[in-house]
Amino acid sequence: MAADLPNSVKQLSDSGAFSSLHLQFYASRDPSAPSDVDATLEPQIPTIDLSLLTGAAPQERARMVRQLGRACQDWGFFMVVNHGVPEGLRQAMLEATEQFFDLEEEAKEELRGETVLDPIRYGTSFNTKAEVDVRYWRDFLKLVVHPEFHSPAKPLCFSDVLRDYATCTRRVGMELLKGIWESLELDDNYMNRALKLDSCFQVFAANLYPPCPQPELVVGLPPHSDHGLLTLLHQNGVQGLDVEHGGKWVHVKPLPGSFLVNTGDHMQIVTNGRYKSVLHRAMANGERTRVSVVSLVGPSLDTVVEPVVALVSSERPAMYRGWSYRQFLECQQGNQLKEKSVLELLRL
Ligand code: OGA
Ligand code: NI
């Protein structure tokens, strides 16, 4: 990294020492991405009531399963309410995350990882492998939390909160997956075995988007899809997430207390394209720091994931070749984050 550049976006934002050079450096709007924002769509983002999905009433469950299937098919994105994760824990996770980013730069620097599979990886948004050093207006911390649990030692409270948060969000993810398999008439036990979900690969990611004096010049996180099966996101009440829907960006304003959930690339692979991963991006703002915490659930790392036989037919041949999740991640690491490029590589 060039000597005159700060270590993190937070350090740059805190210093107030912006120059147009810095801003140019961080500027990276993608002209090829959908540009219009459709404000009218936002209230239609589907909502799933998890208590009805997991409750005792079979008719309610059947209704929720249908609703979940439609949400996956039409949007790849939905809000989950009545999920059973205590609000206190969700809040504590956001607070612990802010405390992490408030640590001294040197303490965070020790956690800089090199590869996507490093179990603890702090970074600021640039990709050293890319031809052009592209920077985004975001600092992040990524942790592998299952099947093995990893956490930074500081701040002191972080590890305990994270352990609970990872367990609770994994449980929600598994309940949703059960409902999703059911919506496609797939057998839950079969899917659990095929994807080795007992040893599912779960990543926790924390994102920090400090205020930017010229937010229109920068992107927090460029348009991308997530690599796992499902992603659960929770934010600190500051908006900034856009989801692609029908060729337009939709600003997301989550219902209080909800998780924002989206389907990932491995959902698209395993369902043979029936349910697709969804493009989303995060934008910076001029006033307030935005924090999001993301829990990403995927198959086990060494399972070869391919379209399930039940969803492959002569009319709908297999669209993707089988690859392990590990191979997928290593390939993504070698490329600059660019929309759904790895998925395209797998297409038959
Ligand atoms: C991610 C992500 C969006 C956000 O971490 O993959 O898409 O709003 N985050 O922080
Ligand atoms: Ni994402």
Side-chain angles (χ1 to χ4, degrees):
M1 190 182 295
D4 60 335
L5 284 165
N7 286 321
S8 66
V9 179
K10 181 172 190 301
Q11 198 181 26
L12 174 63
S13 180
D14 287 351
S15 74
F18 304 103
S19 66
S20 55
L21 179 117
H22 280 136
L23 282 173
Q24 270 168 28
F25 205 72
Y26 283 87
S28 51
R29 293 256 163 169
D30 182 352
S32 66
S35 53
D36 299 339
V37 170
D38 193 334
T40 60
L41 277 171
E42 174 256 313
Q44 297 172 18
I45 291 174
T47 303
I48 300 299
D49 185 330
L50 194 71
S51 68
L52 297 181
L53 192 67
T54 54
Q59 279 178 345
E60 291 292 0
R61 174 168 171 87
R63 190 166 64 84
M64 265 309 130
V65 165
R66 282 196 301 277
Q67 217 161 300
L68 185 56
R70 269 201 305 275
C72 290
Q73 187 153 0
D74 299 346
W75 281 80
F77 187 83
F78 48 91
M79 296 186 258
V80 176
V81 297
N82 296 327
H83 43 67
V85 182
E87 198 50 37
L89 176 59
R90 288 168 26 107
Q91 198 53 36
M93 193 68 254
L94 284 175
E95 280 163 18
T97 295
E98 287 191 54
Q99 285 169 24
F100 170 80
F101 286 114
D102 281 340
L103 294 175
E104 301 278 310
E105 290 297 324
E106 297 74 47
K108 292 183 283 184
E109 281 302 313
E110 286 170 17
L111 306 179
R112 261 191 207 278
E114 287 297 313
T115 78
V116 260
L117 290 167
D118 282 338
I120 300 184
R121 196 158 61 100
Y122 163 73
T124 193
S125 286
F126 68 102
N127 186 333
T128 47
K129 296 260 168 68
E131 283 166 29
V132 189
D133 189 6
V134 181
R135 285 165 196 241
Y136 301 108
W137 198 264
R138 173 186 79 139
D139 296 331
F140 67 84
L141 173 67
K142 290 194 179 174
L143 305 167
V144 174
V145 290
H146 195 265
E148 281 152 24
F149 177 80
H150 301 268
S151 170
K154 285 190 270 187
L156 284 179
C157 66
F158 196 92
S159 164
D160 284 349
V161 175
L162 177 66
R163 195 181 287 278
D164 283 354
Y165 189 81
T167 305
C168 286
T169 52
R170 188 166 65 246
R171 200 176 294 142
V172 172
M174 290 301 161
E175 288 299 344
L176 289 170
L177 284 177
K178 235 187 239 185
I180 289 173
W181 308 144
E182 197 172 325
S183 76
L184 291 167
E185 295 175 9
L186 299 171
D187 180 68
D188 183 41
N189 288 328
Y190 175 83
M191 295 306 287
N192 281 343
R193 276 200 309 275
L195 299 170
K196 297 207 181 75
L197 290 180
D198 284 345
S199 50
C200 74
F201 186 63
Q202 184 188 10
V203 175
F204 169 87
N207 301 305
L208 184 87
Y209 306 93
C212 177
Q214 285 177 275
E216 66 287 355
L217 293 182
V218 301
V219 170
L221 198 51
H224 68 281
S225 57
D226 295 340
H227 44 68
L229 291 162
L230 285 181
T231 305
L232 283 77
L233 181 142
H234 167 218
Q235 63 181 32
N236 70 337
V238 180
Q239 318 302 350
L241 177 64
D242 292 342
V243 185
E244 196 250 4
H245 181 72
K248 297 206 158 126
W249 289 116
V250 179
H251 291 321
V252 180
K253 295 197 193 97
L255 289 170
S258 67
F259 279 109
L260 298 168
V261 179
N262 63 265
T263 44
D265 295 337
H266 278 79
M267 181 64 79
Q268 183 162 339
I269 296 169
V270 81
T271 66
N272 202 24
R274 290 280 291 274
Y275 296 162
K276 297 188 172 56
S277 57
V278 63
L279 286 184
H280 51 286
R281 66 178 185 184
M283 308 308 271
N285 78 82
E287 284 97 49
R288 291 179 60 196
T289 295
R290 175 161 183 266
V291 181
S292 67
V293 286
V294 168
S295 185
L296 203 142
V297 178
S300 103
L301 264 192
D302 292 310
T303 313
V304 174
V305 182
E306 46 196 353
V308 292
V309 178
L311 298 179
V312 173
S313 64
S314 49
E315 294 90 70
R316 202 181 172 92
M319 294 171 71
Y320 302 101
R321 76 185 84 237
W323 252 19
S324 72
Y325 195 4
R326 184 189 298 279
Q327 271 175 302
F328 189 100
L329 290 173
E330 283 168 353
C331 177
Q332 194 169 50
Q333 159 82 8
N335 292 279
Q336 176 163 358
L337 189 62
K338 186 101 178 51
E339 302 202 338
K340 294 164 84 162
S341 47
V342 184
L343 212 47
E344 285 310 311
L345 284 179
L346 290 183
R347 197 179 273 275
L348 287 169

